[in-house]
């Protein structure tokens, strides 16, 4: 579903408290580096099909990513209009979602 009044995101800024931004950045860095290493292990044959699943479960990836999404969502909700937030929600609903 396309937003009827898309928000112009080209030159706008949102402020996020530094401590929250750093915490999110640390989590994202851990995930990117770890997933890269897991991909290398899979390519070399030293990891099996369940390795990524164990990583996701053991490192609480879903909860930590949900927290990152929440940090950004709160900042957007506090700093943008209801109309802009609705347009952003509509854009997010158009994302690619994995279906098993």
């Amino acid at each position: 579903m396309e937003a009827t009044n898309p928000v112009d995101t080209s030159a706008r800024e949102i402020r996020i408290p530094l401590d929250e931004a750093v915490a999110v950045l640390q989590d994202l860095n851990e995930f990117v580096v770890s997933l890269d290493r897991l991909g290398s292990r899979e390519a070399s044959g030293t990891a099996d099909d369940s390795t990524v699943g164990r990583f996701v479960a053991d490192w609480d990836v879903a909860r930590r990513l949900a927290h990152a999404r929440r940090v950004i969502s709160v900042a957007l909700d506090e700093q943008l209009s209801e109309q802009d937030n609705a347009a952003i929600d509509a854009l997010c609903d158009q994302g690619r979602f994995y279906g098993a």
Side-chain angles (χ1 to χ4, degrees):
M1 175 166 92
E2 193 170 314
T4 56
N5 190 7
V7 62
D8 176 18
T9 60
S10 61
R12 295 179 73 180
E13 295 181 10
I14 297 296
R15 292 184 169 271
I16 298 174
L18 183 58
D19 62 334
E20 293 182 23
V22 169
V24 167
L25 185 59
Q26 287 174 316
D27 282 347
L28 294 175
N29 188 55
E30 286 181 17
F31 300 150
V32 169
V33 171
S34 296
L35 289 170
D36 181 61
R37 289 179 181 171
L38 287 168
S40 295
R41 286 185 56 199
E42 285 181 341
S44 70
T46 60
D48 63 22
D49 292 341
S50 65
T51 305
V52 172
R54 281 195 315 272
F55 165 73
V56 169
D58 292 349
W59 286 53
D60 205 10
V61 172
R63 183 196 58 78
R64 292 166 67 189
L65 286 173
H67 175 259
R69 179 179 62 187
R70 179 80 181 134
V71 166
I72 295 168
S73 292
V74 166
L76 293 172
D77 287 345
E78 290 175 349
Q79 298 172 56
L80 296 179
S81 70
E82 189 174 319
Q83 183 178 6
D84 284 345
N85 278 303
I88 290 168
D89 288 345
L91 288 172
C92 290
D93 288 343
Q94 295 173 19
R96 293 177 43 203
F97 303 100
Y98 179 80

